[in-house]
Amino acid sequence: MNFPILSSLILLPIIGSLFLLFSKDKNSNTGKYVALFTSFVNFLISIYLWYQFDPTTSNFQFVEDREWLKGFINYKVGIDGISILFIILTSLITPLCIISVNNTIKDRLRDFLIAILVMESLMIGVFCSLDLVIFYLFFEAGLIPMFLIIGIWGGTRRVYSAFKFFLYTLLGSVLMLIAIISIYWISGTTDITQLYDLGIDSKYQNLLWLAFFSSFAVKTPMWPVHTWLPDAHVEAPTAGSVLLAAILLKMAGYGFIRFSLGLFPVASELFTPLVYTLSLIAIVYTSLVALMQEDMKKLIAYSSVAHMGFVTLGIFTITQQGIEGSIVQMISHGLVSAALFLCVGVVYDRMHSRLIATYGGLVSIMPKYSILFMLFTLAALGLPGTSGFIGEFLVLMGAFKDNFLVAVIASLGVIFGAAYMLWLYRRVVFGEVKNKELLKIPDLDNSEKLILWCLAIPVIFFGFYPEPLLSTTEISVKHLIEMYNFNLNMNITEVQN
């Protein structure tokens, strides 16, 4: 296909944001319709992309390759069965975020929508990149709009949280930039497909792996560098929290699969015990911390750290089930965490409080809200019949295959997850209505129902029928594991000789 469909996905939101930039009214609803139209068209293009995608080959598809900076760096984009699902998730979440600004953003709406659209472009760029430099530019540029979203439209401690988010993620990524320059110096290219074929000398892999890990571990986020996440979530506006949880965290998980396993198999094998240890601490420790939270957003933020612990655990099992489970877990968490933050936003808009103690008895006041909140709560704890179950089940299968003890400890996270999510739901939805102010608040309006049902349908559908996700990723994951084992065996043979 000659049509540059991936560049269209990247550029269309930028074009929409430029249109908004030159509009005069900063709070006009017209701007919202333009942003919504732009993002919805992008969603339709991404669905068409999925329809045209051939899942029977592991080759990168829809590749576009253009010289940039006199050939020193190439603008090269393309997708395989791993990246396409994240592109669809991004293009689905963005229009829902734009609809959600109805009740949350009262000032400088136009600027907020520009930030959202720019974020969409950069996030799609991350999942399309087939050159390390292009990937780095998209990966790091995403910090700027999110920094502005938290710093301008956030809560009372927004400046502190925005700078904490920015500094943590930027400092983590400096080492990755040095590693990318080193790779160019060692291999003479930053083209990812060429690097897959050439391989990277094993004597450099450990340092390069650690440099990439420092960036991905902060952004995932892994314990103990996760502390920026609860602050960022609490202070960010609802749409910011949704983008952060649903997409931004997934960029690091995607990076682990694409680069840590793809480029540095020898180092990945060496550092797998380290990743297992940090993942298990994240699963168990942050689940216990979540149990103690009184703020709904903080509780969900800590639950995200625990869920991403499952993701990193599954990736480094280097098994078909583990990696596929991690991808499904990331897609599911993108849908469910987005929905949970939107559910918190719904009641916050009415009561201006995120404290769990403010609520109670919502089932009799907001029955439609209570039903949808229950669905997402059950999906978050991994109930069979929801997408959350499929991801966790496959990750645990991969873990059992690789290390029985690790799998048993990780299984505790499922129990803790059920405890803190059900405890949250019981205190917010059931019991007596002690706060009389709650009696005045309305149930979901039409836009809120639309947003939450758009997320609920895929959560249920993929819970019963995950085949579209698994068939898309299967061949690409299988090829990744074969490439990983081949490079690892080659290195062992070289050492023995």
Side-chain angles (χ1 to χ4, degrees):
M1 178 178 287
N2 295 323
F3 182 72
I5 190 167
L6 295 179
S7 292
S8 302
L9 279 167
I10 295 169
L11 288 175
L12 190 58
I14 294 288
I15 293 169
S17 64
L18 288 173
F19 186 86
L20 291 177
L21 183 64
F22 292 107
S23 67
K24 294 179 181 177
D25 193 343
K26 293 186 178 181
N27 289 299
S28 168
N29 275 332
T30 306
K32 194 176 74 178
Y33 295 137
V34 170
L36 187 58
F37 175 77
T38 306
S39 59
F40 185 67
V41 171
N42 235 28
F43 173 66
L44 294 180
I45 294 174
S46 69
I47 294 297
Y48 175 74
L49 185 72
W50 197 10
Y51 176 72
Q52 291 290 325
F53 182 78
D54 180 5
T56 61
T57 174
S58 61
N59 295 331
F60 286 99
Q61 300 174 42
F62 306 99
V63 174
E64 299 168 34
D65 193 357
R66 301 281 186 277
E67 277 195 3
W68 186 42
L69 296 179
K70 297 181 179 179
F72 176 68
I73 300 167
N74 283 351
Y75 170 79
K76 188 172 183 180
V77 292
I79 55 168
D80 64 356
I82 298 170
S83 51
I84 187 171
L85 295 180
F86 294 101
I87 292 171
I88 295 167
L89 178 67
T90 305
S91 63
L92 169 66
I93 294 295
T94 304
L96 299 181
C97 286
I98 292 170
I99 298 172
S100 76
V101 303
N102 279 345
N103 302 320
T104 54
I105 305 300
K106 305 294 182 187
D107 187 40
R108 301 177 66 179
L109 175 63
R110 183 199 63 172
D111 299 340
F112 185 82
L113 294 171
I114 289 173
I116 295 277
L117 289 176
V118 172
M119 278 288 297
E120 182 181 19
S121 282
L122 298 173
M123 292 185 296
I124 290 176
V126 165
F127 299 124
C128 292
S129 298
L130 289 182
D131 186 281
L132 285 174
V133 177
I134 298 295
F135 171 83
Y136 182 82
L137 292 176
F138 283 126
F139 193 78
E140 289 310 299
L143 292 179
I144 299 169
M146 182 50 72
F147 172 78
L148 296 175
I149 287 172
I150 298 172
I152 297 175
W153 292 278
T156 52
R157 296 177 69 242
R158 57 184 179 275
V159 175
Y160 166 78
S161 299
F163 273 99
K164 189 174 182 181
F165 158 77
F166 191 84
L167 290 175
Y168 263 67
T169 49
L170 182 66
L171 290 175
S173 297
V174 168
L175 292 176
M176 185 167 73
L177 177 61
I178 295 170
I180 290 172
I181 296 169
S182 303
I183 289 172
Y184 182 79
W185 176 66
I186 295 166
S187 307
T189 181
T190 52
D191 186 312
I192 293 168
T193 53
Q194 287 185 32
L195 289 169
Y196 279 172
D197 293 335
L198 293 171
I200 293 178
D201 196 320
S202 58
K203 64 185 177 185
Y204 300 115
Q205 284 197 22
N206 291 350
L207 285 175
L208 295 173
W209 188 96
L210 286 170
F212 275 76
F213 178 77
S214 67
S215 177
F216 298 150
V218 170
K219 199 163 270 185
T220 304
M222 295 184 79
W223 182 89
V225 287
H226 66 286
T227 56
W228 61 270
L229 186 71
D231 288 322
H233 270 309
V234 167
E235 297 304 326
T238 300
S241 291
V242 170
L243 283 176
L244 190 59
I247 315 294
L248 243 69
L249 305 189
K250 311 304 177 292
M251 297 195 310
Y254 173 77
F256 276 128
I257 297 172
R258 179 70 73 213
F259 303 115
S260 299
L261 300 190
L263 297 180
F264 317 119
V266 177
S268 293
E269 192 75 5
L270 177 68
F271 290 114
T272 290
L274 170 69
V275 177
Y276 276 180
T277 303
L278 296 180
S279 300
L280 291 177
I281 293 173
I283 292 170
V284 176
Y285 170 72
T286 55
S287 294
L288 293 173
V289 174
L291 268 171
M292 301 171 67
Q293 298 306 309
E294 293 299 327
D295 183 307
M296 287 193 282
K297 261 192 166 183
K298 260 192 177 177
L299 189 151
I300 298 169
Y302 278 110
S303 78
S304 292
V305 179
H307 280 109
M308 292 308 289
F310 275 101
V311 169
T312 49
L313 176 66
I315 290 170
F316 281 87
T317 61
I318 328 287
T319 61
Q320 186 81 22
Q321 295 92 340
I323 297 174
E324 281 191 304
S326 294
I327 295 168
V328 175
Q329 175 79 344
M330 284 193 272
I331 300 298
S332 173
H333 182 260
L335 299 169
V336 175
S337 64
L340 288 171
F341 279 115
L342 286 164
C343 284
V344 174
V346 166
V347 291
Y348 179 80
D349 292 340
R350 289 156 172 75
M351 295 297 293
H352 303 291
S353 172
R354 293 185 305 267
L355 293 178
I356 297 169
T358 305
Y359 302 94
L362 284 183
V363 68
S364 59
I365 303 164
M366 303 175 69
K368 293 170 187 169
Y369 172 84
S370 301
I371 290 171
L372 283 166
F373 189 23
M374 179 181 68
L375 169 67
F376 298 122
T377 300
L378 296 177
L381 61 86
L383 188 81
T386 65
S387 57
F389 170 76
I390 304 296
E392 283 188 356
F393 179 73
L394 287 173
V395 167
L396 289 175
M397 274 184 67
F400 270 112
K401 199 172 178 180
D402 189 57
N403 188 311
F404 180 77
L405 180 61
V406 167
V408 169
I409 297 172
S411 301
L412 293 174
V414 179
I415 299 168
F416 291 142
Y420 61 69
M421 289 309 299
L422 290 176
W423 196 44
L424 168 69
Y425 189 78
R426 186 189 70 78
R427 287 185 291 170
V428 172
V429 173
F430 292 123
E432 295 180 11
V433 183
K434 296 177 181 176
N435 186 346
K436 300 303 177 190
E437 291 296 315
L438 289 172
L439 296 171
K440 301 174 186 175
I441 64 174
D443 205 343
L444 297 175
D445 62 28
N446 288 334
S447 64
E448 291 164 343
K449 279 189 279 190
L450 173 68
I451 296 169
L452 293 177
W453 274 113
C454 283
L455 295 167
I457 290 169
V459 166
I460 298 169
F461 179 79
F462 291 129
F464 284 98
Y465 187 65
E467 184 61 25
L469 299 178
L470 299 178
S471 61
T472 302
T473 59
E474 181 183 2
I475 300 299
S476 295
V477 171
K478 188 177 180 182
H479 176 69
L480 178 74
I481 295 172
E482 287 173 350
M483 186 173 64
Y484 178 93
N485 289 328
F486 176 78
N487 289 331
L488 199 61
N489 291 332
M490 282 284 289
N491 178 71
I492 292 171
T493 305
E494 287 174 8
V495 171
Q496 288 174 342
N497 290 336

